[in-house]
Amino acid sequence: MAILDWNKYLEKAAEVNAEGAVLLKNDGVLPLDKNSEISVFGRIQLDYYKSGTGSGGMVNVAKVTGIVDGLLEAGAKLNGKVLKTYRDWVAEHPYDYGEGWGGEPWCQQEMPLSDELAAEAAETSDAALCVIGRTAGEEQDNSCKAGSYLLTDAEKDMLRTVRKHFKKMAVLLNVGNIIDMGFVDEFSPDGVMYLWQGGMTGGTGAAKVLLGEVSPSGKLPDTIAFDIADYPSDKNFHDRDRNFYAEDIFVGYRYFETFAKDKVRYPFGFGLSYTDFEITAEAVGGAEGVKLTAKVKNIGSCAGKEVVQVYIEAPNGRLGKAARVLCGFEKTPLLAAGEECTLDIDIDSRSMASYDDSGAYAWVMEAGEYNIYAGSDVRSAKKVYSFTAAEDIVIEQLEQALAPVTEFERMVRTENGLAYKKVPMSKVDEKARRLQFMPEEITQSGDKGITLADVAEGRNDLDSFIAQLDDNDLNCLVRGEGMCSPKVTPGTAAAFGGVSDRLAERKVPAGCCSDGPSGMRLDVGTKAFSLPNGTLIAATFNKPLLTELFTMTGLEMRANKVDCLLGPGMNIHRHPLNGRNFEYFSEDPFLTGKMAAAELKGLHSVGVEGTIKHFCGNNQETNRHFLDSAVSERALREIYLRGFEIAVKEGGAKSIMTTYGKVNDLWTAGSIDLNTTILRHEWGFTGFTMTDWWANINDRGCKPDKDNFAAMVRAQNDVYMVCADGGKHTDNVAASLENGELRRAELQRAARNVLSFILGTHAMKRVTGSDETVEVINKPAETVDDGAAERVFTLDGGLTIDMTAVKTARNLDYSFTLDVTQLGQYRMEITASSTQSELAQMPVTVFSMGTAWGTFTWNGTGGEPVTFTIDEMPLFSRYTIFRLHFGLGGLDMRSITFTKLRSAENTGLSNS
Ligand code: BGC
């Protein structure tokens, strides 16, 4: 039996929190003296944002340690009057969750801070901490407004008042991604630190760095420019229909270091420490690869860690290059004052090459001088080595794929500087590509009595198993079932594989997927571990540490019978306002890929998977279901696909989720170039792919259609997420097989991809009886509040309960007791409506006597009543307690109706 010790899990996550904190300014304020009094300002000290919103943030937690909790638990002396004033005010101004999917406000109302309180606190406190918080997420981008990217007037007033009275003041940012930092000029804080959104242990980790137990070693995973308009994607980011990626490869520091150095407030990779380091490096090698050895010496006065970052400056030849590209990094172990260490960093040719999309369709190292820089951020990194490539070298010859079909001009670097040139257009015949990758059909054999367990245990091969599957079985294998399928762990996002009775009879287990990048989302209310967010994780630049954390997450998944965590999110921070940046890592694809690979390594070590998402180009939430990303093939390969490529090739990723939107005018779920040419043919991916939930699919030039599974299967996006019932669904697979638009061989290929994956899961091991269980120790017991005793309804054969007065909000429970006078089998119908968007997800879980009977997810209903039915609800206990658990607000409950189907006497199950 494997053991997951919850206390060690908490400690590991807090270590990640501490290592991800990025100190940007420190004029003698940090670390704080534990023996002196500190005043903490800002309501977010008590309402810590553990994550952003949407599927990536819906982890139910027993306890979140916020900043004040963390400081108090670490023994800090906080000004009691300030703390009490905030506690009282927050009690009267509770946290506003907003309504429904994507409806939570970006910030919370700030307490007006009086001069008197600040002045009085300053008399006894040595320093002030001011906490600013922000959220955003799925369906809701940030905006360049006060309360989102900019500070509100109330927050500015707070900073002004604190500055006026305190000699030492630090600003702490509890945010999912970078925000405008004009406040540094306006209020001159002595210290500024990004704490990001740290999950349930955020405050514990923050306290470690604030109090000096740990010296900060986090580095910026994004460039912070002076003005949002300085970001090269800003001109195109907001477009609802089509985002032209006109900045091309010049994303983040690639742009700033090449064309606009003076626009940068804090460079990529930057982050201060409480100590100082000296980095020296030497290297050997050339175009075939470079071996760099860095010596790092702690020349300051306390222990700390440093990150060595290596950047390449390739010759600015025909292709036009960014002045710096991250091509290697390592973090030191903890170095005591005076201690030094050596780090070996290998740079491969691919990391130094560029993709030529103008006809060669190859990764190329152009002739000329290659300079290598090493240091602790992109700007200060020093030249440590150079070599010359005498001629152009083709590193990898590919074929054109996924190129634009809409003309636009992209940014290029010519010998005279920045210019715009027409983007090369697609010449690919996608129909021919389909035929190029057409597999052989396996002759259907009829039932031979082979089960998947026979394949798992080596008695038969997979193709013999697949040969037995009829077209309907094959069709079921491309249908994911959810949300909250009863075939897998209650409250999870999807079941896949054994979703029909026939497949289950053949011992195909149902695999289980659960959101998301920051921990398991279990909509029945089950508590799970809430992890630090993606931006924070990237800021650690610490691969082994991540692997350790995600090994624990993997064990937690196993304890909950979850096979795929729907994360990490790997899209690029193309623009600071993307709502889901908190789920993603960085503006840099190399860092993104390496961090994802480190997470996967941890998950894989205990036999579970991380579904890397969203493949690819999911860089804006506004209108994400219909938005087209018009991107050059070069930018796709160098920026938007590169992280995924590293996660597949180095991280061994075996599960991928495509996106809601389009890339170069084709919905990604139907894109053969993306899912087959690039992913499988070029990268050698052998896992399975799934759509995003209820995603659109199309054939080139055709309208989006959620039932066009044939287009999905042809492209080799294997599974549609999600169908209400995997055993029956109105997709077009059967008709397309019939009319020849889909070949059985393609459907069998999808089946093979799904089943090969399932064969490696713990779900399969449970079927063969070879699974090792996981025991979770030291996890606090869960408690559920209910009002069942007060609300008793008599059920005398039939009953309708008026639910219109019931309040629904995130994580609320509503309980009642049924006094069942006629025991038996009942039908239960739950009716609700919602004016939320069609794609909002409002889950309600029904528990009867503590057992979950199902989770029903309402989408927006246009205000019309929609009913979900539990066909067979056994009521064999005189007093039956029901509990409804609401995952989110925005739902208007209408009624619950019970109708008797059979009496207890007729069921043979009577206990009366
Ligand atoms: C999100 C995915 C998520 C899925 C399941 C979608 O809305 O885009 O990232 O995994 O829902 O909750």
Side-chain angles (χ1 to χ4, degrees):
M1 182 196 298
I3 305 271
L4 171 63
D5 183 336
W6 202 257
N7 288 338
K8 292 204 174 128
Y9 201 3
L10 291 168
E11 275 168 30
K12 191 53 69 187
E15 202 180 324
V16 173
N17 290 134
E19 286 213 13
V22 181
L23 179 62
L24 293 182
K25 183 173 182 198
N26 190 20
D27 290 341
V29 57
L30 297 174
L32 300 166
D33 178 358
K34 208 169 167 175
N35 300 312
S36 303
E37 187 188 277
I38 308 157
S39 287
V40 188
F41 299 94
R43 73 157 305 151
I44 294 301
Q45 63 177 296
L46 300 171
D47 283 320
Y48 181 75
Y49 284 113
K50 71 175 178 23
S51 69
T53 60
S55 65
M58 291 168 78
V59 182
N60 298 306
V61 279
K63 180 186 172 201
V64 174
T65 304
I67 292 172
V68 152
D69 310 314
L71 287 168
L72 289 173
E73 283 170 19
K77 279 207 267 174
L78 302 189
N79 181 301
K81 182 157 180 195
V82 173
L83 183 54
K84 182 171 184 315
T85 309
Y86 274 98
R87 280 196 172 132
D88 292 347
W89 191 87
V90 166
E92 279 168 27
H93 300 81
Y95 190 95
D96 174 8
Y97 286 101
E99 254 206 9
W101 194 242
E104 186 173 322
W106 289 301
C107 73
Q108 298 291 315
Q109 192 189 345
E110 188 48 82
M111 181 185 99
L113 174 63
S114 70
D115 249 334
E116 297 71 44
L117 183 65
E120 191 185 329
E123 279 172 23
T124 52
S125 293
D126 185 45
L129 296 176
C130 299
V131 188
I132 305 279
R134 288 290 182 273
T135 195
E138 219 170 317
E139 296 279 3
Q140 185 180 209
D141 287 314
N142 296 284
S143 87
C144 191
K145 291 188 184 141
S148 185
Y149 193 64
L150 310 176
L151 298 196
T152 62
D153 287 344
E155 288 166 339
K156 287 187 181 178
D157 287 346
M158 168 178 80
L159 296 186
R160 192 173 295 114
T161 307
V162 172
R163 180 71 294 179
K164 188 163 125 197
H165 297 285
F166 277 79
K167 283 208 188 66
K168 291 193 212 163
M169 157 195 183
V171 177
L172 307 178
L173 299 167
N174 170 208
V175 294
N177 49 255
I178 58 169
I179 61 167
D180 182 72
M181 301 203 59
F183 67 84
V184 176
D185 303 329
E186 207 174 337
F187 306 106
S188 305
D190 308 295
V192 179
M193 191 185 270
Y194 270 91
L195 295 175
W196 314 112
Q197 293 163 339
M200 66 193 290
T201 55
T204 312
K208 286 180 197 288
V209 272
L210 292 170
L211 300 173
E213 185 191 319
V214 172
S215 175
S217 61
K219 305 286 175 181
L220 279 180
D222 295 308
T223 311
I224 299 184
F226 284 101
D227 192 331
I228 190 110
D230 295 335
Y231 288 90
S233 56
D234 193 53
K235 287 183 203 66
N236 294 302
F237 174 74
H238 312 271
D239 200 306
R240 288 183 62 82
D241 302 319
R242 181 167 285 142
N243 254 227
F244 287 106
Y245 284 44
E247 72 282 3
D248 209 51
I249 58 161
F250 295 100
V251 178
Y253 72 84
R254 283 168 166 76
Y255 167 78
F256 290 110
E257 298 307 306
T258 313
F259 300 122
K261 283 188 158 186
D262 57 332
K263 306 265 189 214
V264 175
R265 187 187 283 277
Y266 297 108
F268 177 85
F270 178 75
L272 299 168
S273 165
Y274 296 151
T275 182
D276 291 306
F277 296 94
E278 188 180 76
I279 300 176
T280 49
E282 49 192 43
V284 290
E288 68 292 352
V290 171
K291 281 192 173 306
L292 184 135
T293 310
K295 270 213 174 83
V296 185
K297 183 166 186 191
N298 183 344
I299 53 168
S301 52
C302 70
K305 294 185 181 182
E306 178 61 299
V307 178
V308 175
Q309 303 160 35
V310 183
Y311 296 89
I312 182 91
E313 180 188 28
N316 190 43
R318 188 175 51 85
L319 296 176
K321 304 285 168 45
R324 299 284 184 281
V325 170
L326 183 71
C327 58
F329 65 89
E330 287 301 333
K331 194 167 201 172
T332 66
L334 187 68
L335 296 177
E339 201 181 343
E340 65 177 22
C341 77
T342 303
L343 299 174
D344 294 321
I345 302 176
D346 287 344
I347 304 147
D348 60 15
S349 314
R350 265 296 290 278
S351 304
M352 300 188 278
S354 304
Y355 184 77
D356 183 352
D357 63 359
S358 59
Y361 310 125
W363 286 91
V364 186
M365 284 182 77
E366 284 188 279
E369 192 179 66
Y370 287 77
N371 296 317
I372 291 183
Y373 297 77
S376 58
D377 65 74
V378 70
R379 186 64 62 84
S380 68
K382 300 248 173 346
K383 185 153 125 187
V384 293
Y385 186 64
S386 63
F387 66 89
T388 303
E391 54 189 24
D392 288 1
I393 307 164
V394 173
I395 303 298
E396 194 180 357
Q397 181 63 57
L398 300 170
E399 291 169 280
Q400 190 186 37
L402 210 61
V405 295
T406 314
E407 284 189 2
F408 65 100
E409 294 206 325
R410 62 167 164 187
M411 189 182 286
V412 290
R413 181 184 177 201
T414 66
E415 54 192 16
N416 303 319
L418 194 155
Y420 282 89
K421 283 194 182 158
K422 275 195 178 157
V423 80
M425 302 287 282
S426 176
K427 297 187 182 126
V428 171
D429 174 350
E430 283 157 341
K431 293 204 169 103
R433 281 266 152 98
R434 175 185 169 216
L435 297 177
Q436 183 189 334
F437 296 117
M438 187 63 70
E440 290 278 314
E441 183 174 328
I442 303 171
T443 312
Q444 287 180 320
S445 64
D447 190 9
K448 298 277 183 213
I450 304 169
T451 67
L452 197 63
D454 294 327
V455 181
E457 292 176 333
R459 289 183 290 275
N460 292 91
D461 65 21
L462 184 56
D463 278 4
S464 314
F465 177 80
I466 292 173
Q468 306 172 108
L469 302 180
D470 67 18
D471 292 348
N472 187 52
D473 296 330
L474 292 170
N475 196 356
C476 292
L477 282 170
V478 300
R479 295 181 188 143
E481 183 177 289
M483 316 219 11
C484 304
S485 160
K487 299 185 175 103
V488 287
T489 304
T492 50
F496 62 96
V499 295
S500 70
D501 292 345
R502 273 173 60 96
L503 288 169
E505 277 159 21
R506 292 202 160 96
K507 295 206 172 22
V508 179
C512 176
C513 297
S514 168
D515 280 312
S518 57
M520 278 185 300
R521 164 188 173 191
L522 301 165
D523 279 348
V524 282
T526 313
K527 305 286 184 283
F529 200 97
S530 143
L531 295 159
N533 80 1
T535 316
L536 188 155
I537 281 175
T540 67
F541 278 70
N542 190 336
K543 294 171 271 186
L545 179 62
L546 269 197
T547 301
E548 285 167 25
L549 179 66
F550 277 81
T551 302
M552 294 179 169
T553 304
L555 287 174
E556 190 196 2
M557 287 165 63
R558 270 180 47 194
N560 286 278
K561 300 191 172 61
V562 168
D563 303 291
C564 296
L565 188 71
L566 299 176
M570 299 191 59
N571 297 103
I572 294 295
H573 292 180
R574 176 181 174 232
H575 192 277
L577 298 186
N578 178 26
R580 293 184 87 173
N581 277 348
F582 81 95
E583 294 185 59
Y584 310 145
F585 296 104
S586 164
E587 68 184 21
D588 179 76
F590 184 84
L591 178 61
T592 297
K594 295 286 178 180
M595 295 323 249
E599 285 190 12
L600 291 175
K601 192 171 168 193
L603 296 176
H604 291 169
S605 71
V606 290
V608 291
E609 190 56 58
T611 300
I612 56 177
K613 68 186 188 186
H614 308 86
F615 191 54
C616 71
N618 199 71
N619 300 306
Q620 173 180 301
E621 285 303 294
T622 306
N623 202 30
R624 63 180 174 155
H625 299 273
F626 299 97
L627 179 68
D628 180 32
S629 296
V631 202
S632 79
E633 187 187 357
R634 178 174 178 193
L636 282 166
R637 291 187 181 272
E638 290 192 22
I639 309 288
Y640 299 101
L641 289 167
R642 180 83 175 113
F644 288 101
E645 181 179 9
I646 294 171
V648 169
K649 288 184 173 169
E650 293 175 28
K654 289 274 180 297
S655 169
I656 296 196
M657 186 193 297
T658 49
T659 70
Y660 280 133
K662 296 182 268 185
V663 170
N664 290 328
D665 223 15
L666 188 61
W667 267 272
T668 54
S671 171
I672 187 154
D673 263 353
L674 181 67
N675 295 298
T676 299
T677 316
I678 294 175
L679 178 63
R680 294 187 187 263
H681 178 66
E682 292 179 7
W683 298 353
F685 177 76
T686 55
F688 84 115
T689 39
M690 61 184 80
T691 65
D692 201 340
W693 270 231
W694 310 289
N696 284 311
I697 318 164
N698 73 334
D699 289 302
R700 172 80 63 198
C702 299
K703 287 216 166 73
D705 179 352
K706 292 187 199 299
D707 282 333
N708 191 355
F709 288 16
M712 172 187 89
V713 174
R714 283 193 296 263
Q716 210 171 169
N717 183 136
D718 304 302
V719 177
Y720 189 80
M721 295 295 191
V722 279
C723 310
D725 181 345
K728 35 181 160 43
H729 183 75
T730 53
D731 54 72
N732 66 349
V733 165
S736 305
L737 281 176
E738 181 84 30
N739 67 21
E741 283 176 7
L742 178 67
R743 296 207 195 154
R744 181 171 298 114
E746 293 172 299
L747 202 51
Q748 287 173 331
R749 177 178 65 187
R752 191 184 296 105
N753 293 339
V754 174
L755 293 172
S756 304
F757 180 84
I758 286 191
L759 279 167
T761 61
H762 281 269
M764 191 73 232
K765 289 202 170 78
R766 283 193 293 279
V767 171
T768 55
S770 58
D771 193 30
E772 179 202 38
T773 54
V774 173
E775 192 193 344
V776 181
I777 58 171
N778 294 323
K779 184 179 175 188
E782 294 182 11
T783 51
V784 175
D785 274 339
D786 59 52
E790 289 94 57
R791 291 185 284 265
V792 182
F793 302 98
T794 303
L795 171 57
D796 191 11
L799 168 72
T800 294
I801 305 172
D802 180 355
M803 300 284 287
T804 48
V806 173
K807 204 168 160 242
T808 65
R810 180 214 296 253
N811 282 340
L812 268 194
D813 288 288
Y814 176 84
S815 303
F816 58 90
T817 303
L818 282 188
D819 179 356
V820 189
T821 57
Q822 301 176 35
L823 301 185
Q825 204 73 20
Y826 283 75
R827 178 186 310 121
M828 180 178 183
E829 291 160 288
I830 311 159
T831 304
S833 62
S834 174
T835 50
Q836 293 284 311
S837 84
E838 203 192 322
L839 287 151
Q841 299 171 20
M842 289 155 288
V844 179
T845 307
V846 180
F847 292 86
S848 160
M849 302 298 276
T851 300
W853 279 89
T855 300
F856 305 100
T857 303
W858 273 260
N859 303 116
T861 69
E864 292 305 307
V866 169
T867 301
F868 283 101
T869 305
I870 300 176
D871 281 327
E872 297 272 344
M873 167 65 75
L875 295 178
F876 294 123
S877 157
R878 172 78 195 269
Y879 294 104
T880 302
I881 296 173
F882 277 86
R883 177 164 64 92
L884 305 186
H885 177 81
F886 302 109
L888 217 58
L891 195 64
D892 301 315
M893 295 303 296
R894 300 270 181 119
S895 61
I896 294 184
T897 300
F898 292 93
T899 313
K900 192 170 92 178
L901 301 172
R902 290 180 300 285
S903 303
E905 310 78 79
N906 302 329
T907 63
L909 287 168
S910 170
N911 60 357
S912 58

